[in-house]
């Protein structure tokens, strides 16, 4: 079951913007006093430029997943909240959060754990709650870890969805451009598959794991700041059927992400006590 949890976490996506030649309509029934005349294509282009200039960011993610594995007659429920600070160059990351897993075994109560990690170009430290100590991963693991972390680069995600731009609706309020998508079908399965394959290959898992899946439905809600063109909110709900190494499962995934402190995170320092006391693997 741990394999399923890992694979679904890897498959969590961060998709970006859509574009066409229409201007944004007012969202809901609220009055928009600051109406923008930019088209979707213009917003998309400006968002690409802003994401490519991004130096650092803070992200908070709420993730809820339900995984049903028919062959094991189990339904696994996972909820987690992660708070992350990320510096693009040189790459530095500090992440901490909590996760709750329910359904590991019949009659077993929900299991809650905390996690914390530091990642730099040269080091990767993880706090192991069960052992009550920090662990340092070996240098040979850094390439895969670095490549996987770079999947958070917003400009790469935006470029990947360029062929799906006209599928989004385009609205605005006084502060944000608001993009939404409710979709299903084979072409969205191919989009997700391409992104997951890239992540798996960057982690060195592509050769060992055979994965296939079908997207039953996918919903997006995206907020883009009108002044900075940075993505500050991204909600994604995906209903999909997966097959991994011949094992079938049904997955419902709901991810809500908020982004803030753009270019304000100047340095991430690994505490000296972590460096001094970490157990090398």
């Amino acid at each position: 079951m741990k394999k399923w949890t890992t694979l679904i976490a890897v498959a969590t996506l961060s998709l970006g913007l859509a574009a066409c030649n229409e201007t944004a309509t007012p969202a809901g029934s609220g009055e928009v006093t600051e109406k923008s005349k930019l088209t979707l294509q213009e917003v998309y282009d400006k968002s690409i430029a802003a994401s490519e200039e991004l130096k650092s960011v803070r992200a908070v993610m709420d993730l809820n997943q339900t995984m049903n594995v028919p062959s094991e007659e189990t339904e696994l429920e996972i909820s987690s909240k992660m708070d992350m600070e990320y510096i693009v160059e040189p790459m530095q990351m500090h992440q901490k959060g909590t996760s709750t897993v329910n359904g590991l075994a019949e009659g077993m109560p929900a299991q809650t754990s905390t996690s914390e990690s530091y990642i730099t170009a040269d080091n990767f430290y993880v706090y192991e709650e069960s052992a009550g100590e920090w662990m340092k991963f070996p240098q040979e693991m850094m390439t895969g870890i670095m490549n996987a972390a770079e999947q958070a680069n917003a400009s790469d995600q935006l470029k990947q969805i360029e062929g799906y731009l006209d599928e989004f609706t385009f609205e605005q309020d006084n502060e944000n451009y608001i993009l939404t998508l409710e979709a299903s079908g084979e072409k969205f399965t191919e989009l997700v598959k391409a992104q997951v394959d890239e992540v798996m290959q960057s982690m060195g898992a592509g050769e060992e794991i055979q994965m296939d899946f079908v997207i039953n439905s996918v919903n997006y809600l995206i907020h883009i700041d009108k002044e900075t063109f940075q993505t500050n909110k991204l909600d994604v709900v995906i209903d999909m059927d997966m097959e991994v190494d011949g094992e079938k499962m049904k997955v419902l995934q709901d991810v809500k992400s908020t982004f803030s402190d753009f270019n304000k995170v100047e340095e991430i320092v690994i505490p000296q006590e972590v460096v001094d006391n970490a157990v090398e693997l």
Side-chain angles (χ1 to χ4, degrees):
M1 187 59 67
K2 183 178 180 181
K3 177 176 69 173
W4 303 126
T5 305
T6 301
L7 292 175
I8 299 305
V10 169
T12 301
L13 304 177
S14 298
L15 299 185
L17 313 177
C20 65
N21 294 318
E22 299 177 357
T23 58
T25 59
S29 57
E31 181 179 354
V32 179
T33 57
E34 300 293 333
K35 293 182 181 179
S36 169
K37 295 184 178 180
L38 291 178
T39 66
L40 236 84
Q41 183 67 57
E42 290 170 329
V43 170
Y44 175 79
D45 292 342
K46 288 178 179 294
S47 297
I48 287 287
S51 66
E52 290 179 338
E53 294 298 320
L54 185 67
K55 295 179 174 59
S56 65
V57 67
R58 180 189 177 200
V60 176
M61 183 175 70
D62 283 290
L63 168 65
N64 291 281
Q65 323 185 93
T66 301
M67 294 180 285
N68 185 282
V69 185
S71 64
E72 298 184 16
E73 297 183 348
T74 60
E75 183 172 274
L76 193 64
E77 297 177 352
I78 302 172
S79 62
S80 62
K81 183 170 184 176
M82 306 303 296
D83 193 331
M84 178 184 75
E85 290 182 319
Y86 178 71
I87 296 175
V88 177
E89 184 65 38
M91 200 284 283
Q92 302 169 56
M93 183 185 297
H94 177 219
Q95 180 174 281
K96 62 190 305 182
T98 60
S99 297
T100 300
V101 181
N102 191 26
L104 288 172
E106 186 175 354
M108 178 183 292
Q111 305 293 304
T112 299
S113 60
T114 62
S115 63
E116 186 172 8
S117 60
Y118 289 91
I119 303 175
T120 68
D122 301 314
N123 297 290
F124 179 31
Y125 296 92
V126 175
Y127 183 73
E128 176 55 56
E129 183 183 24
S130 61
E133 60 186 9
W134 284 89
M135 299 184 301
K136 181 180 180 180
F137 282 73
Q139 186 69 28
E140 54 265 27
M141 294 185 63
M142 289 307 301
T143 300
I145 293 167
M146 293 284 288
N147 289 339
E150 288 172 0
Q151 297 301 317
N153 188 314
S155 63
D156 291 342
Q157 300 295 332
L158 297 181
K159 292 172 183 176
Q160 287 179 350
I161 67 164
E162 188 171 4
Y164 304 83
L165 302 176
D166 58 358
E167 302 290 342
F168 286 81
T169 60
F170 186 40
E171 299 176 308
Q172 63 178 308
D173 59 21
N174 287 323
E175 292 80 29
N176 301 293
Y177 298 104
I178 302 171
L179 293 86
T180 58
L181 172 69
E182 296 182 5
S184 61
E186 183 176 350
K187 73 175 183 178
F188 293 99
T189 295
E190 291 304 311
L191 170 63
V192 176
K193 184 177 187 301
Q195 295 195 3
V196 173
D197 284 348
E198 184 174 344
V199 174
M200 298 299 288
Q201 289 172 9
S202 73
M203 295 179 68
E207 296 181 0
E208 295 92 7
I209 298 175
Q210 298 296 319
M211 178 186 296
D212 194 14
F213 49 89
V214 174
I215 303 300
N216 300 315
S217 65
V218 57
N219 298 332
Y220 296 97
L221 172 62
I222 306 165
H223 285 194
I224 311 301
D225 186 271
K226 280 186 171 182
E227 293 187 5
T228 66
F229 294 95
Q230 298 287 3
T231 302
N232 55 48
K233 178 182 177 67
L234 173 62
D235 296 349
V236 184
V237 180
I238 300 178
D239 183 333
M240 58 184 171
D241 296 320
M242 297 185 66
E243 183 172 340
V244 183
D245 288 345
E247 187 84 37
K248 295 182 178 180
M249 65 187 305
K250 184 174 181 62
V251 179
L252 178 62
Q253 179 173 278
D254 185 344
V255 184
K256 292 179 171 59
S257 303
T258 58
F259 304 89
S260 62
D261 294 343
F262 298 99
N263 299 327
K264 293 182 179 180
V265 181
E266 297 183 355
E267 185 180 18
I268 296 174
V269 178
I270 302 176
Q272 192 61 43
E273 63 182 84
V274 173
V275 177
D276 293 340
N277 298 322
V279 177
E280 295 194 20
L281 298 181

